[in-house]
Amino acid sequence: MYKGIAGSDGVGIGEVVIIKEPELKYERASALTVEKELERFNKAIEELVEKTNAMSEEVRKSAGEAEAEILLGHVMIMSDPALSDEVRSLISDGLTAEAAAEQVLDMFAAIYEGTGDELTMQRATDIRDVKTRLIKALLGAEDVDISALKKGSVIVVHDLTPSMTAGIVKENIEGIITETGGKTSHSAILARALEIPAVLSIDNITELLKNGQSVIVDGIGGEVIPDPDDKCISEYRAKREEHIKHKRELLKLIGCETHTADGIHAELVCNIGKPADCKDVLERDGEGVGLFRTEFLYMDTDRLPTEDQQFEAYRAAAAAMDGKPVIIRTLDVGGDKEIPYLGLEKEDNPFLGYRAVRYCLKNPELYRAQLRALIRASAFGNIKIMAPLVTCVDEIRAVKALVKELMAELESEGIDFDRNIEVGVMIETPAAAVIADLLAAEADFFSIGTNDLTGYTMAVDRGNHKVAYLYSVYNPAVLRSIKRVIECGVDAGIMVGMCGEAASDPLLIPLLISFGLNEYSVSPTSVLATRAEILKWSKSEADKVAEEALSCTTESEVKDVLSKYKK
Ligand code: PEP
Ligand code: MG
C-alpha cells in the first residue's frame, strides 16, 4: 500500500495506465536566421493560444467555470509580454525558440517555486505546463491525449496538468494518482470538479506501478492499494457505496439553515480567490464569503492592478452574492506570498518581516487604491473589509483611519458607498490572540486564521519537515488561543468567524460550538459536510467534549478525546 495526500474523495477500482510525457530533444543554438526563429516562436504561441482557448471551452462544459479559468490563466501566461520579450531577446542572441522558451519559463517558474507557499507554487506548475506545451508545439510533438482511455482506467502521472485534464472523459476514469501536488493544487481542484477520486504526491509512483496492474485509489484515506485480493476489493466496494450514499445524504442539506442540534444559528460561508468562485459558493449553498484572498488579483498580472480593475472584481463578487456577506481581505503580500513585480527585498525571516498589513500601511498609494476600490464596491452588495496579520491596536486604528479618510474623499467626489462598511481583524498571530480583548474594542469583527495562527503559535515553519509534527491545531496552546479569541469577541458583542482550514475539521466542530464561534468559512466543497457536522451537536454535548479536550495536556491526548466523541 502507498500513502499519499487525499486530493479528491471517493474510491476508484481499476487498471493502471501510466502516462509519461515524451522526452523533448532540441538544439540550443539555432541554425536558422533570427527572423526565421522568431517567426517559429510567434506562430507556435499563436496556435497554442487558439488551442488553449478551445480547451478551456471544453473544460467549462466538463468541469465548470472555475476550472476553465485555470486554462485561461495559461493563455495569460502565453500572452504575457514580459515573458515573450525575454524569449525574443534570447532568440536574438542565437538560441533556438525551444531553448529560449525553456530558459525563460524555467526562470519565472523558479521565482514562484521559491516561495514555499502551495498556492503561489501552483503558478510555477502552470508555467511549466505552458513551457512543455510550447516546446511540443515548436517540435510538432503531440499533446498527451487521455480522451481515448478505456473505461475503468486509473491515470498514473507525474503531475496531472490542466491541459491534460481537458481530454478526460470522466465516466471512463476510476481514479488519478500523481507524484506531485497537494490539496489545493490544480490537479486536486480539477479532480474534485470532475468528481474523480485522487491520491496525490506519492514519490516515484509512475515507476512503482505497472501498466494494466489492478489498483484501488482511496481518495478519502489518501491510499493506493496495488493488486488487491477479492476480500480487499469487496471491502473497498462497500466503502465506495458508503461514500456515495453519504454524498447523496449531504445533498439533502442544500437549502437548510445552519444551526446546532438545539437551534443555535451559525453562518456557513466560503473562502474564495476570485469573483468567479462565487458560482461554486452558491452551487454548494454557501451563505456568503468569509474570506476573499485578494492576492490573486495581484498575482495574475505583471503589474499592480488599478483601482478600477480591483473595483470591478470586488463589485462582481458582491453582486454575485446578492446581499450575502462578502469579507474581503486586503493584500496579504510577503512571507510565503510573493509578487515578483513589487520587488520586495529578500529577508532573513520573511514570515516575521515586511508583509501583509505592515507592507500596505507603509505603501499608502497601493493601499489607498485597494481600499478605495473596496469602499466603492460596497455600494453593490454587503462588503466587509478585513486586515491580515494584525499584531497591535495601532494597525487596526491606522486601517480604520484610512478607510474613514477615503470615505470622505469619495463622498466629496459624489461616489456612492456603504457608510456602515465593517472593518475587521484577521486573528492569525499570537500577539493578536493575546490582545484579543483590546482588538475587539476596535474591530467590527474577527476572523481566526488558524493556518497561520497554528504556525506562529507553535513557532513552526510549515515547509520544514523536521518540525512539521508540531504543526497541529490540536495543540493545547493553539486551542487555548482560539478559545480566548472567540470569548473576547463574544464578550465585546462582535461577530467571530474562522477562515483557516480548521473551520471545516469535523473533530474540532464541537469545540468551536462550545467556544461560541459565530461563522465558519470553508472551501465551497466543504459546505455541506460542515453543515452536517454542526447539525449533529447540541451546545451542552459540545461543552462536555470541550471540557474534556481542554483538560488534556498533550496534542495526542486532545486528538484522542476528539476522536472518541466523533459522531
Ligand atoms: C490563515 O492564515 O489561516 C488564512 C486563512 O490565511 P492564509 O491561508 O491565506 O494565510
Ligand atoms: Mg494567513
Side-chain angles (χ1 to χ4, degrees):
M1 190 249 279
Y2 303 108
K3 192 105 187 92
I5 295 172
S8 171
D9 63 14
V11 174
I13 304 170
E15 265 185 22
V16 168
V17 180
I18 296 173
I19 310 264
K20 282 221 164 130
E21 289 278 4
E23 212 185 317
L24 301 170
K25 289 211 176 91
Y26 55 83
E27 298 295 326
R28 258 187 84 71
S30 177
L32 302 173
T33 61
V34 168
E35 286 68 34
K36 281 266 178 263
E37 202 62 58
L38 285 172
E39 209 177 290
R40 288 182 67 227
F41 173 67
N42 294 340
K43 188 159 163 278
I45 285 280
E46 207 175 290
E47 285 173 5
L48 210 52
V49 165
E50 196 177 313
K51 200 164 162 188
T52 312
N53 275 322
M55 277 173 146
S56 151
E57 269 314 301
E58 281 174 43
V59 169
R60 178 168 286 119
K61 285 181 227 140
S62 65
E65 185 70 37
E67 292 68 31
E69 289 273 333
I70 296 175
L71 282 163
L72 291 179
H74 287 202
V75 173
M76 281 183 66
I77 297 171
M78 292 164 195
S79 324
D80 183 345
L83 285 173
S84 43
D85 286 354
E86 286 276 341
V87 174
R88 289 195 183 96
S89 145
L90 289 178
I91 293 176
S92 303
D93 292 344
L95 289 194
T96 54
E98 291 88 342
E102 169 141 50
Q103 191 167 324
V104 172
L105 288 156
D106 272 348
M107 180 188 78
F108 275 84
I111 294 175
Y112 286 106
E113 242 150 32
T115 63
D117 169 54
E118 206 182 338
L119 287 170
T120 318
M121 283 162 74
Q122 187 55 54
R123 276 185 70 79
T125 311
D126 289 324
I127 294 173
R128 291 199 199 281
D129 190 14
V130 169
K131 177 190 80 174
T132 309
R133 294 186 58 226
L134 178 55
I135 296 175
K136 275 195 205 157
L138 284 160
L139 294 172
E142 288 293 311
D143 266 338
V144 175
D145 179 13
I146 44 187
S147 63
L149 295 186
K150 64 178 199 302
K151 204 164 176 57
S153 299
V154 170
I155 296 173
V156 182
V157 65
H158 175 67
D159 188 13
L160 181 79
T161 61
S163 56
M164 275 181 207
T165 323
I168 284 186
V169 180
K170 88 178 190 190
E171 293 71 28
N172 291 350
I173 309 301
E174 278 288 314
I176 296 166
I177 311 171
T178 69
E179 293 179 335
T180 60
K183 261 200 183 312
T184 52
S185 65
H186 282 170
S187 15
I189 295 171
L190 291 162
R192 283 197 294 267
L194 292 164
E195 298 184 318
I196 300 174
V199 178
L200 312 176
S201 219
I202 305 183
D203 275 348
N204 224 16
I205 195 71
T206 58
E207 298 296 328
L208 296 168
L209 297 177
K210 300 277 163 282
N211 270 318
Q213 195 173 5
S214 152
V215 72
I216 293 176
V217 184
D218 175 3
I220 306 164
E223 287 169 358
V224 168
I225 300 131
D227 302 318
D229 57 21
D230 289 349
K231 184 167 162 276
C232 183
I233 290 180
S234 56
E235 237 172 67
Y236 275 89
R237 281 214 177 108
K239 187 167 180 179
R240 174 162 64 187
E241 288 315 307
E242 186 57 36
H243 176 71
I244 294 170
K245 199 171 127 216
H246 177 63
K247 277 184 95 163
R248 228 180 276 134
E249 289 292 312
L250 284 184
L251 287 180
K252 293 188 189 148
L253 296 180
I254 288 189
C256 291
E257 205 206 310
T258 308
H259 56 73
T260 59
D262 51 347
I264 302 171
H265 174 76
E267 255 178 72
L268 182 53
V269 291
C270 292
N271 296 347
I272 63 166
K274 336 179 221 33
D277 298 339
C278 289
K279 190 165 166 274
D280 291 339
V281 176
L282 293 169
E283 271 172 18
R284 311 273 178 162
D285 206 26
E287 299 160 17
V289 170
L291 170 65
F292 179 164
R293 293 179 163 101
T294 57
E295 293 74 68
F296 294 93
L297 286 173
Y298 291 75
M299 283 178 180
D300 283 350
T301 71
D302 55 359
R303 60 187 68 93
L304 273 180
T306 62
E307 178 186 319
D308 282 346
Q309 283 166 341
Q310 295 192 62
F311 163 71
E312 276 310 326
Y314 307 145
R315 189 194 56 77
M321 295 315 296
D322 194 20
K324 296 187 172 77
V326 179
I327 298 181
I328 305 187
R329 175 175 76 186
T330 63
L331 181 62
D332 189 13
V333 66
D336 52 359
K337 301 179 180 105
E338 201 172 324
I339 299 178
Y341 60 81
L342 289 183
L344 288 171
E345 276 172 33
K346 278 255 167 287
E347 294 175 291
D348 287 342
N349 285 304
F351 283 92
L352 306 181
Y354 187 44
R355 54 169 304 199
V357 74
R358 305 169 181 182
Y359 176 84
C360 288
L361 288 170
K362 289 272 193 263
N363 289 273
E365 282 315 305
L366 171 145
Y367 210 20
R368 290 170 82 94
Q370 182 170 38
L371 291 172
R372 270 182 62 104
L374 283 169
I375 301 168
R376 282 170 57 196
S378 69
F380 298 85
N382 184 4
I383 285 183
K384 301 170 199 255
I385 297 172
M386 177 156 76
L389 208 86
V390 168
T391 50
C392 54
V393 167
D394 312 68
E395 285 165 341
I396 181 63
R397 283 192 182 151
V399 175
K400 282 176 71 177
L402 199 49
V403 168
K404 205 165 157 206
E405 183 190 322
L406 294 171
M407 280 182 166
E409 197 174 279
L410 289 166
E411 180 95 61
S412 68
E413 290 169 27
I415 295 175
D416 196 19
F417 57 87
D418 171 9
R419 276 153 187 77
N420 299 315
I421 190 164
E422 292 186 11
V423 180
V425 167
M426 195 159 170
I427 307 282
E428 50 184 348
T429 63
V434 171
I435 58 160
D437 54 333
L438 306 180
L439 290 170
E442 310 276 336
D444 294 318
F445 63 90
F446 282 166
S447 185
I448 309 175
T450 49
N451 306 344
D452 276 319
L453 186 62
T454 306
Y456 285 122
T457 301
M458 297 306 297
V460 162
D461 172 358
R462 268 207 279 176
N464 184 340
H465 293 298
K466 294 196 192 92
V467 290
Y469 69 96
L470 288 168
Y471 185 88
S472 164
V473 73
Y474 309 123
N475 276 299
V478 185
L479 290 185
R480 287 184 193 194
S481 199
I482 292 172
K483 179 169 186 275
R484 172 176 169 74
V485 174
I486 298 174
E487 284 173 355
C488 289
V490 169
D491 283 351
I494 61 170
M495 185 204 79
V496 186
M498 179 176 284
C499 57
E501 287 300 309
S504 58
D505 179 348
L507 288 187
L508 270 191
I509 284 181
L511 298 200
L512 302 179
I513 290 173
S514 171
F515 299 162
L517 191 75
N518 308 118
E519 179 235 56
Y520 299 70
S521 191
V522 304
S523 72
T525 45
S526 300
V527 167
L528 296 178
T530 306
R531 181 173 291 154
E533 290 300 325
I534 295 172
L535 282 165
K536 285 178 189 169
W537 295 92
S538 70
K539 174 80 167 61
S540 56
E541 283 171 330
D543 284 344
K544 194 164 154 266
V545 180
E547 198 186 327
E548 201 170 322
L550 285 168
S551 70
C552 296
T553 44
T554 67
E555 189 259 0
S556 57
E557 280 171 28
V558 171
K559 217 175 350 184
D560 287 347
V561 167
L562 297 179
S563 307
K564 180 176 81 183
Y565 285 106
K566 168 129 184 27
K567 294 197 184 192

